[in-house]
Amino acid sequence: MTLTDSAPLPPRRSYDLLLANIEAGLRSGEIKLGDQLPGERTLAETYGISRASVREGIRILDAMGVLRSSSGSGPKSGAIIVSEPSAGLSSALRLHMASNRLPVADIVQTRVLLETWAAEAAAATLHTEESAAALARAHSLLEAMDHPDLDRDTFHTLDAQFHVELSSLAGNAVIETMMASLSGAIRGYVKEAMDNFEDWPAILDVLREQHHGIYDAVSSGDGALAAQLLRAHIEWFYAQIPAPQTAQDQSVQSPSAEPQA
């Protein structure tokens, strides 16, 4: 295929100019975290687009975790430049999971790859102040998960934070962001599974024991063992979740279903 035969590029949306200029400003340092964007009218006049296009661009940047918008007046009102990459990634992953474009099995495999790599990488960073603080936070989460009167939803919240905290020990901001994004994306799926576990006390005992083993391996600097335990822990948990029935399964199990020819 030659260049002349290639498909035409999609039309440029009017708010793309706003997004491109904010990206360029962040790259150059002209725009910094915490800066407040000018008002809609000023942005519209600056980039030669409508105020409706400005609002659309701001909404997109807000969803991507680049802006935080608030109403009212004062220094903290309007659109403020932030950096919350996991927020935008979580939303996108969650929606594509809902459409079945991203299978849960693939999300689980990605979790295993990320967390086991992070556990092994963390072994070389345990003697820094940042790692000590992260380990202390992980231990506090571990103690909170051991509380005897913990409800399922609170346990899941603490569990997700525990895994993200351990992953942060690798010192890789992209891995930490992706872990937080994956955690946010599967929150509903995992919560539904936990709510439907019939023998929750027994499962809870296993999860607690696994968490302590993982933490002990990480805190002692045994990255290989931590990775092994993490893989077993993640795969064991998802193995407890019954596979969803397909329409064909339901028709076969239904007593009123007609016999198959």
Side-chain angles (χ1 to χ4, degrees):
M1 178 182 289
T2 65
L3 290 176
T4 55
D5 296 330
S6 60
L9 294 174
R12 188 178 180 87
R13 297 157 298 194
S14 55
Y15 59 76
D16 283 341
L17 185 60
L18 173 63
L19 272 60
N21 276 272
I22 288 178
E23 179 184 352
L26 286 167
R27 286 180 181 275
S28 68
E30 182 181 351
I31 300 176
K32 299 179 177 63
L33 297 182
D35 284 355
Q36 183 178 23
L37 288 186
E40 285 182 8
R41 177 177 297 178
T42 301
L43 289 172
E45 293 174 352
T46 300
Y47 300 114
I49 59 179
S50 68
R51 294 181 67 174
S53 294
V54 169
R55 285 193 293 271
E56 182 68 11
I58 288 175
R59 280 196 292 268
I60 291 171
L61 290 168
D62 197 329
M64 293 169 62
V66 178
L67 290 179
R68 182 183 298 120
S69 301
S70 59
S71 57
S73 59
K76 294 186 179 181
S77 63
I80 307 295
I81 297 290
V82 297
S83 182
E84 299 173 350
S86 62
L89 288 173
S90 288
S91 298
L93 286 171
R94 190 164 54 248
L95 288 169
H96 289 298
M97 283 179 63
S99 69
N100 295 320
R101 186 67 181 86
L102 297 179
V104 172
D106 291 354
I107 297 290
V108 174
Q109 186 179 50
T110 303
R111 272 197 67 189
V112 170
L113 290 171
L114 292 177
E115 291 199 56
T116 53
W117 179 90
E120 292 183 337
T125 67
L126 290 181
H127 303 296
T128 66
E129 292 184 6
E130 294 81 1
S131 294
L135 274 175
R137 290 190 296 268
H139 191 265
S140 295
L141 291 166
L142 202 61
E143 291 181 329
M145 282 187 284
D146 285 342
H147 196 281
D149 299 323
L150 208 60
D151 62 84
R152 301 188 191 197
D153 191 45
T154 303
F155 179 87
H156 171 46
T157 299
L158 295 170
D159 183 1
Q161 293 173 351
F162 175 76
H163 281 270
V164 172
E165 202 68 69
L166 288 184
S167 296
S168 73
L169 288 166
N172 186 308
V174 177
I175 294 293
E176 185 177 354
T177 296
M178 292 178 68
M179 270 302 304
S181 302
L182 288 173
S183 178
I186 62 175
R187 176 173 175 78
Y189 175 82
V190 174
K191 181 182 183 304
E192 182 180 359
M194 284 187 170
D195 289 343
N196 291 327
F197 283 144
E198 294 182 0
D199 196 6
W200 171 243
I203 289 178
L204 182 59
D205 287 342
V206 175
L207 291 176
R208 284 170 169 162
E209 181 180 356
Q210 291 174 342
H211 285 156
H212 278 277
I214 293 166
Y215 176 84
D216 290 344
V218 170
S219 61
S220 65
D222 193 339
L225 177 59
Q228 177 185 340
L229 294 175
L230 273 164
R231 177 184 291 276
H233 165 64
I234 295 170
E235 292 178 347
W236 178 86
F237 176 80
Y238 284 101
Q240 310 311 305
I241 303 175
Q245 288 187 344
T246 64
Q248 183 178 2
D249 292 335
Q250 293 173 351
S251 66
V252 169
Q253 292 183 9
S254 172
S256 59
E258 292 293 330
Q260 299 296 314

